[in-house]
Structures are given as C-alpha cells and as structure tokens.
Amino acid sequence: MSSTLLKLALPALAVVLAGAVQAEEFTTKDVKIKVDVVASGLENPWAVEVLPDGAYIVTERPGRLRIIRDGQLSEPISGLPKVAVRGQGGLLDVALSPDFAQDRTIFLTAALAYDGGAGTGVIRAKLSKDERALTDVKTIFRMKKVGRTGRHFGSRIAFGTDGTLYFAIGDRGDMKRGQDFFDHAAAIMRINTDGSVPKDNPFADGSKALPEIFSKGHRNAQGLVFDPMTSGMITAEHGARGGDEINLPKAGLNYGWAKITYGKNYNGRKIGVGVSAPGLEQPAHYWDPSIAPGALVVYSGKMFPEWKNDILVTSLKFGLISRLDRDATGKVTSEERFIDEEFGRLRDIIMAPDGSLLVTTDEADGQLLRISRAGDAS
C-alpha cells in the first residue's frame, strides 16, 4: 500500500494530540514562547484557517482538504475538483468567506490542468453542514496562459474591506512573463467573489493589461495579507538567489520582476538591469541570503503585545520565523529570527482568535503547530 493510501485508510493513527507531545519552549528577544503539535501526519499541509467553532480546516498539497477538531483528523472532504499535483503545484490556499457563518462558502487556490499545461485557479464552494463534502463547486478564475513547469503557482488569498478577493500568482518559472501585462503570471489579482472583474480595478477596461490584474512584477508571492495598521496590502515573495522581498502592492503599480531585483540567478548571473529603474517600485524589505518565505501575518492579538503590528514571516529554507519589527509609520527597523530548523520547512502562519499563532510544516509528514506564550495554561 502506498503511503498516500495508508494515510487515507488510517487517518486516526496519523494524529498526534497536543497533550501527547511535550511542548517545546523557546526564548525570543521579548517573550518566551511554547510550541505545541496540534496534529501530525498531514502530507505537505499548505494552509490552515480557523472555523467559527474553533476547529481547523487544512489543505494538503496532494489535493486533500481536512478538518481537525478536538485533536481528530477527518477523512478527506469529498467534492474537491481534481488538482494538478506537479512540483510546487497542487491544492494551495484556503480562505473562509467573510460571511462563512451564514453562507458556509470557502475559496481555494490550486494548480489546475488545462490547455495542455497547468495554471493557478480559484475555486468557490460550500462546506456541507456535516463537513464531509463540498457542494456548489465552481472554478471562478483560471489563468489565461498556462505553463508546463511545476514551479511558481503562488498563491495566497485575502479579502479587501469591500469584499473583493485578492490572490497571488507566480511567474510559473518563466521570468519573461513578469513584465507582460497581458499575462496573469507574476501578478496580484483582484476579482469579485463570483469571478467577475470589479469596475474600479486599475485595468478594468482591458486596454493596457488584463482586467483582473491589480499589480504586476511579483516573482512568486506566497504571503498576502491586509495590514491592520495601515489598511494596505503586504506580500512576502520568493526572489531568486538573495532577492526575497516584502512588498506593499498598490493598484496599477509594477514591482519590477524580472527587470529589477536584489537577487541573482542561481548560476550567479545578473538578472535584469539592476536593483532599480524608473517606474518600478522598491521592496519594503528584502533578504540576502534568501530565506524562501512562506506566508506572513501582521500581529494584532492580545497574547503577544510585544509584537503588535510586527510582520511574522515563515521560512521554508531555514525552518524559522522572521519577525520584522516596525516603527509607527510601518517601516521595517529590525529583524529577529526564532525556531530555527526545529520543525522543518514552515509554510503557513495565521493568528488564531485567542492571539496564538498557527503554523503548518511543509513536510511529507507535516504538522499543524500552535505557538503560544510560555506559562499560558490554554
């Protein structure tokens, strides 16, 4: 029996309860934290969200969606469309509708196979009341142009205050697509939740760019949130060698990939024209050497007041969390790193309602972790 079939046949054996494993404690600059394993046995978990009753809904990149409640891992939820599992592609982000408690609607990003290749798509569906199936499943977005590589699908989802849906798509492993405004690759998209184009999109008429594009020149953004301090968007993006970035995307602007970058090609050669050029935006922060950023969250909870408005970014390469301290204007002033390589590749990070942090590990035997304040009895 394959390892995948074994996981499907024996899901209960794949679960590790938080109380069954000794929590690990770590000392950071400002606070001591503990890390509990909520569940293990997940295959490359990509994203997590918290349901209204406190349970967790988790995507696995090979194409499964599961719920973790009271330490128990559900069977895969049925009804999910087939996804293209190749390289970095598969089932990616999950986001709950802002009105999920009433409409039970979720949104997913995934690599989808069509037109002889694969591209990033957005799926809308309803979660059945018994949580066993997806219904009313519809693909509301597909890339205009697919790619044949297994790289750089993106992708994260965030909702604007007006209810529009933003999501990121990478350059699909082809840097030439980064500056083509009639290509969805290497861009942040903005659509309505039915897949239509908002009338106030920067290129809504389609004359200068594809109408879904909000901003362009993003190599491979896998973190995307709205900042509670500034209300602006923040992305975490994979660069090449030495060019991972934090950007603050704004409507209609160009963030440079692959004309400008602080990174080099993996063979050591220069990319583009350098680190700046007229009409192209600069990153708010960049890493050299690269950390391979996963997701990010701006901390706004009560559990860690020391981190208020700081940006927390996961690292796939080093298995750490990068905390970017910011001043009152939102400018990054310093960086702290913690949990180095203790749990493997760290992918998603979100803030739970109680202010703790939930993190997924991108491993074949992946875990859902909970980071809380040491000494907290919860």
Side-chain angles (χ1 to χ4, degrees), residues 96-324:
L96 305 183
S97 160
D99 298 317
F100 176 83
Q102 288 74 44
D103 61 26
R104 301 195 64 78
T105 299
I106 67 171
F107 295 85
L108 301 153
T109 53
L112 303 176
Y114 55 98
D115 293 344
T120 303
V122 180
I123 300 159
R124 187 187 68 207
K126 291 183 182 294
L127 179 65
S128 64
K129 289 186 177 180
D130 64 8
E131 299 178 340
R132 295 181 179 179
L134 297 182
T135 63
D136 299 332
V137 180
K138 183 179 180 181
T139 299
I140 61 171
F141 173 88
R142 287 184 179 180
M143 294 183 72
K144 183 177 180 180
K145 177 183 176 183
V146 298
R148 288 177 170 77
T149 73
R151 301 190 300 278
H152 302 180
F153 292 91
S155 171
R156 290 289 169 192
I157 301 169
F159 290 97
T161 56
D162 60 357
T164 55
L165 189 152
Y166 295 77
F167 59 99
I169 299 179
D171 70 0
R172 295 295 288 108
D174 183 353
M175 66 175 65
K176 294 188 297 294
R177 300 178 68 172
Q179 292 298 306
D180 182 352
F181 276 69
F182 289 92
D183 188 338
H184 289 125
I188 307 297
M189 307 295 157
R190 180 177 181 249
I191 60 174
N192 294 315
T193 54
D194 62 359
S196 63
V197 176
K199 294 180 180 179
D200 59 347
N201 265 14
F203 307 108
D205 66 4
S207 62
K208 295 182 179 180
L210 293 177
E212 298 87 356
I213 291 177
F214 178 79
S215 59
K216 186 68 174 175
H218 305 276
R219 182 175 182 260
N220 190 29
Q222 293 185 346
L224 191 163
V225 299
F226 280 92
D227 183 359
M229 185 168 90
T230 68
S231 299
M233 188 190 303
I234 305 179
T235 59
E237 307 180 19
H238 288 259
R241 198 176 79 184
D244 297 341
E245 297 180 350
I246 295 289
N247 278 304
L248 310 176
K250 293 180 173 58
L253 297 187
N254 186 341
Y255 291 80
W257 179 259
K259 189 173 181 180
I260 63 168
T261 176
Y262 284 85
K264 295 181 179 180
N265 215 324
Y266 297 105
N267 60 14
R269 294 178 181 173
K270 180 180 176 181
I271 297 173
V273 300
V275 299
S276 65
L280 303 181
E281 303 302 311
Q282 285 290 299
H285 179 79
Y286 71 93
W287 287 272
D288 187 6
S290 298
I291 66 167
L296 73 130
V297 67
V298 177
Y299 193 80
S300 60
K302 296 181 179 179
M303 187 173 288
F304 300 107
E306 301 88 348
W307 296 347
K308 183 176 176 60
N309 292 325
D310 290 350
I311 301 171
L312 300 166
V313 186
T314 56
S315 164
L316 295 157
K317 182 177 180 180
F318 298 121
L320 55 79
I321 293 176
S322 168
R323 182 180 67 85
L324 302 177

Side-chain angles (χ1 to χ4, degrees), residues 304-360:
F304 300 107
E306 301 88 348
W307 296 347
K308 183 176 176 60
N309 292 325
D310 290 350
I311 301 171
L312 300 166
V313 186
T314 56
S315 164
L316 295 157
K317 182 177 180 180
F318 298 121
L320 55 79
I321 293 176
S322 168
R323 182 180 67 85
L324 302 177
D325 195 13
R326 297 193 294 168
D327 64 19
T329 69
K331 181 180 179 181
V332 175
T333 56
S334 64
E335 179 188 18
E336 178 189 16
R337 299 180 176 190
F338 51 89
I339 315 182
D340 298 31
E341 299 183 337
E342 292 289 335
F343 299 94
R345 290 161 52 88
L346 303 186
R347 172 71 70 180
D348 198 11
I349 182 169
I350 66 169
M351 189 180 71
D354 66 358
S356 63
L357 296 166
L358 299 171
V359 176
T360 62

